[in-house]
Structure formats: C-alpha cells, structure tokens
Amino acid sequence: MRETLAALEAGEIGIEEAESRLAGYATTDAGRFDAARERRRGIPEAILADGKTPAEVAALATTALDTTGRALVTRADEATAAAVASAVGDVGPDATVERDDRTGTVVAHAADFELPSLDAAVAVVAAGTADAPVAGEAAVVAREIGATVDRIDDVGVANLDRIVDQADRVREADAVVVAAGREGALPTVVAGLVDAPVIALPVSTGYGVGGEGVAALEGALQSCSVLTTVNVDAGFVAGAQAGLIARAVDAARAE
C-alpha cells in the first residue's frame, strides 16, 4: 500500500492504477473494470461491447490498458472497434491494436506488455465457416491467456473425412474447443477421437426446429462422449476454460 501511495505521490502512476492496485478494480463513468481478475483467476478481464455505447467501451478499454497493460474487447461492431482503436491511440501512441471484425474482438497491448507464454497448446475446431466467428473469439481468449492456439476450420460431420484427416493434429493439443451449430454433432465426434479435455461450444447457426443453437446445445449436453459444454455462442467462456487447462498443464510440466 505504501509503495502504491508513494508512486501516486511521485506521479509515477495515475489515480485509476492506484485504485486498481489497492481495491482490485478501477472506477470509471462506464463502470468498474476488474483489474485484478488475471492475478486472481488467471483469466484477463474482457470488456463485453454488447449493450454499451462505443464511448463507454473505449473508456473501459483505456482504463484496462492503463491498469493492466492490455485491453480485450469482445462482441464489438465496426463503430465500437474504431472508437477503441482511436482512444487507445490517444492514450498509448506506442500501443498495438489488433481488431478482427469477423470475430468482433479488439485486443490492445501497451508497448511494454509481455504476453504470457505457456508450454501448452489449445486446438480450436470449427465445424463450418459460419461457426468461425465464435470459434475465433475462443481462440483469441486462449491465446491471451498464453496458450499456443491451433485453428482447424471447416471440418463438420457432413463429411467425416474432413475431421478424420485432422485427427492427429487435434490429438497434439492439451485442450480442445469444438464450435458447431446445426445439430452440434462435431464435439461428440472429436471427444471420441482424442484423449485431451474437449469443450463443446454450441453456435447459433442453423434454422428450423433446433435453430439458434438449441439443438447444438442439447446435443452436447446429451453426448455419449466425455466433454464439457458451455452456453450457446459463449466463445469467451470456452476459450477461457481451455486457457485454464493450458495453465494447469504448463504448471505440471514445469515441476
């Protein structure tokens, strides 16, 4: 506490960073940013853009950059992504900004930020091209936790040869996220082929009786293979869970 107060008095840190060190969060007009989540939970705090104005998301992103050296935004539309990039450029001219309009993610790193590096790999598998945006969100989160991420796309069960051809590649991973819409059969198939933990990520692609991800979710919950299931379109949760498994694997290998 004394070190933080001394740094604040000397002008080495700002009020938001001092508050985040002492309270574990920083207060802004747009809400409270959980700056201690990564230290406490091993998962970087993400800023969900849904339901927030571009200005609110940008304010939270700059607070994240100031207090943790990184900002991770999910579900950002084009206007929000542009607002975040502009705000980050204003407060951190040397910061890097990576935006992916397809996945809706924006990631900013301060110039001195060092991304964690884990001795563990996560495979992120997408059944079809329409499932790639949600899978991409999971991949970004797992990467930000420090895992090596291998994206394997368009291997749905409409042609089993596609996933069978990639089975050896998937088996190299320490954790696997499988994103699938429609009837959501791919996670069950993958879980029957590999010995790593598999996380089913139902996607709201498809239409008809089981549309909006309902059939994919229920199929994963009812799977005869051993797997874990997250909510529909919950790319952040799937990526974070895979990242936590990667952290555990890394810790075990380091012993």
Side-chain angles (χ1 to χ4, degrees), residues 27-167:
T27 303
T28 75
D29 291 339
R32 293 179 178 179
F33 177 76
D34 186 356
R37 177 168 294 190
E38 188 165 13
R39 293 195 304 272
R40 184 181 73 249
R41 188 69 179 89
I43 302 169
E45 170 73 311
I47 302 162
L48 176 66
D50 278 351
K52 301 181 180 73
T53 67
E56 288 171 338
V57 177
L60 288 167
T62 56
T63 299
L65 198 68
D66 183 47
T67 57
T68 69
R70 165 172 56 192
L72 171 58
V73 179
T74 63
R75 308 299 170 92
D77 59 20
E78 187 174 348
T80 298
V84 170
S86 177
V88 167
D90 289 340
V91 301
D94 296 328
T96 61
V97 180
E98 174 189 301
R99 54 183 285 192
D100 187 329
D101 293 335
R102 184 161 172 77
T103 65
T105 57
V106 184
V107 179
H109 292 162
D112 59 352
F113 179 80
E114 293 186 9
L115 187 69
S117 179
L118 303 176
D119 182 16
V122 172
V124 178
V125 182
T129 303
D131 304 314
V134 177
E137 181 178 286
V140 168
V141 174
R143 183 199 69 193
E144 288 300 306
I145 293 175
T148 299
V149 176
D150 184 17
R151 286 286 305 273
I152 303 172
D153 293 324
D154 202 15
V155 289
V157 299
N159 181 357
L160 281 174
D161 289 338
R162 293 186 297 183
I163 185 59
V164 172
D165 285 346
Q166 300 298 318

Side-chain angles (χ1 to χ4, degrees), residues 170-255:
V170 180
R171 290 187 183 110
E172 294 176 358
D174 299 295
V176 184
V177 175
V178 185
R182 302 293 295 188
E183 82 285 13
L186 186 62
T188 289
V189 172
V190 172
L193 295 173
V194 304
D195 62 0
V198 174
I199 301 164
L201 173 53
V203 181
S204 57
T205 54
Y207 47 84
V209 174
E212 301 300 320
V214 174
L217 174 62
E218 292 180 346
L221 291 172
Q222 194 71 9
S223 175
C224 62
S225 297
V226 177
L227 50 76
T228 300
T229 305
V230 299
N231 207 348
V232 176
D233 291 340
F236 174 84
V237 178
Q241 188 74 342
L244 289 176
I245 294 170
R247 279 172 53 91
V249 170
D250 175 76
R253 287 174 175 162
E255 292 180 353

